[in-house]
Amino acid sequence: GAVVSQHPSWVICKSGTSVKIECRSLDFQATTMFWYRQFPKQSLMLMATSNEGSKATYEQGVEKDKFLINHASLTLSTLTVTSAHPEDSSFYICSAQGGETQYFGPGTRLLVL
Amino acid sequence: GDSVTQMEGPVTLSEEAFLTINCTYTATGYPSLFWYVQYPGEGLQLLLKATKADDKGSNKGFEATYRKETTSFHLEKGSVQVSDSAVYFCALRSGGYNKLIFGAGTRLAVHP
C-alpha cells in the first residue's frame, strides 16, 4: 500500500525556537497533503490543507504565521512551527491524498520545553 | 455541517469476544466512509472503507457496512485478539472534498 513518512519522529526543543517537520509520500505523488494535530486521548484536529504549488488552506483558529506550511513538490510537504512554546507540544500527523484515500504518516511528537 | 459520532470508550473485551463499535454520521450528499486504527504511539492506518450505500468494507477480520437508511457504519469483528488493542476512528469524506471528518475515537483494550 501507499506509504507516507514523517521526519523527525520526535523532537524536543527550547521555547522560542522553530521546528520543521517533513512529510513525504514515498511511492505515490500527492497533490494534496493534510496536517493534523492530536492531543492526548483525543481525535485528530485538521490544521491545514496543503496543495502543491499553492498556498495552504488553514482551518479556522489556526495561526498561519505560526504554522508555516510549504508543499514544494508532489511528494513533500513541510510544517514549520515558528517560535514554539510549551502549548505547541503535541502529536503532529500528516496525510497524503492518494486517489480516494488519505494515507497517514506515523506522526511527529513535539515537546517544547 | 457534516459530523461523525462514535460510541464512547474505552471498550474492554476478552480475547475471542465479539466486537461492535458504533458509528453514525450526518452529511449532505453521499459521503465515503472510513475506519482508521491507531496503535499506541503511531499514526493512523486505514482499516477499511466503503464509498456507497450497502457497500461492505472488510480487512483483517473487521467489517463494516455502509447503511444509508440508518446513516451508520458500525465496525464489527467476530473474534478479537490482544493485538487488536488500539484506538479506532470512524471518518467520513464528503463528495467533492478531500477533507476527512473524524469521530472522537474509541479505545479498545483486549485482555487475554
Side-chain angles (χ1 to χ4, degrees):
Chain A
V3 178
V4 175
S5 69
Q6 278 184 244
H7 178 79
S9 55
W10 60 272
V11 57
I12 302 174
C13 69
K14 293 182 179 179
S15 187
T17 61
S18 294
V19 175
K20 180 186 282 189
I21 302 169
E22 292 186 349
C23 176
R24 293 180 186 274
S25 57
L26 297 185
D27 49 3
F28 67 103
Q29 293 184 330
T31 306
T32 305
M33 291 184 173
F34 303 86
W35 287 96
Y36 296 84
R37 184 173 179 177
Q38 185 181 32
F39 292 101
K41 298 186 179 181
Q42 293 188 28
S43 190
L44 281 72
M45 181 193 80
L46 179 65
M47 299 175 66
T49 302
S50 169
N51 294 298
E52 189 267 338
S54 63
K55 290 184 179 180
T57 302
Y58 289 81
E59 296 298 302
Q60 193 171 10
V62 178
E63 299 176 60
K64 60 181 68 175
D65 293 331
K66 181 163 187 64
F67 298 100
L68 300 179
I69 291 172
N70 183 271
H71 196 149
S73 74
L74 289 172
T75 59
L76 173 65
S77 176
T78 60
L79 168 68
T80 301
V81 183
T82 61
S83 186
H85 288 94
E87 58 266 29
D88 298 324
S89 298
S90 193
F91 194 48
Y92 292 87
I93 303 175
C94 75
S95 69
Q97 190 74 31
E100 288 223 334
T101 303
Q102 274 190 41
Y103 298 94
F104 284 78
T108 297
R109 191 163 301 282
L110 170 63
L111 177 61
V112 184
L113 301 177
Chain B
D2 295 354
S3 65
V4 176
T5 302
Q6 282 182 242
M7 65 185 287
E8 290 189 20
V11 174
T12 304
L13 294 173
S14 298
E15 207 165 23
E16 299 184 2
F18 184 86
L19 168 71
T20 300
I21 300 178
N22 289 339
C23 171
T24 57
Y25 67 90
T26 302
T28 54
Y30 304 97
S32 295
L33 301 173
F34 304 83
W35 277 101
Y36 283 86
V37 58
Q38 184 179 33
Y39 297 102
E42 299 182 12
L44 273 67
Q45 299 175 26
L46 177 65
L47 182 59
L48 53 84
K49 66 179 181 181
T51 57
K52 62 182 188 298
D54 299 326
D55 269 3
K56 177 186 284 189
S58 61
N59 185 25
K60 299 181 182 178
F62 291 90
E63 57 182 35
T65 301
Y66 189 142
R67 301 283 188 203
K68 185 168 178 288
E69 63 276 14
T70 54
T71 62
S72 66
F73 193 54
H74 304 321
L75 182 69
E76 296 181 338
K77 186 174 185 181
S79 176
V80 294
Q81 306 299 313
V82 173
S83 57
D84 293 326
S85 299
V87 181
Y88 292 82
F89 292 94
C90 184
L92 72 80
R93 184 176 66 91
S94 290
Y97 297 94
N98 286 326
K99 232 161 71 164
L100 281 175
I101 296 171
F102 285 91
T106 302
R107 186 174 298 275
L108 170 66
V110 180
H111 299 290

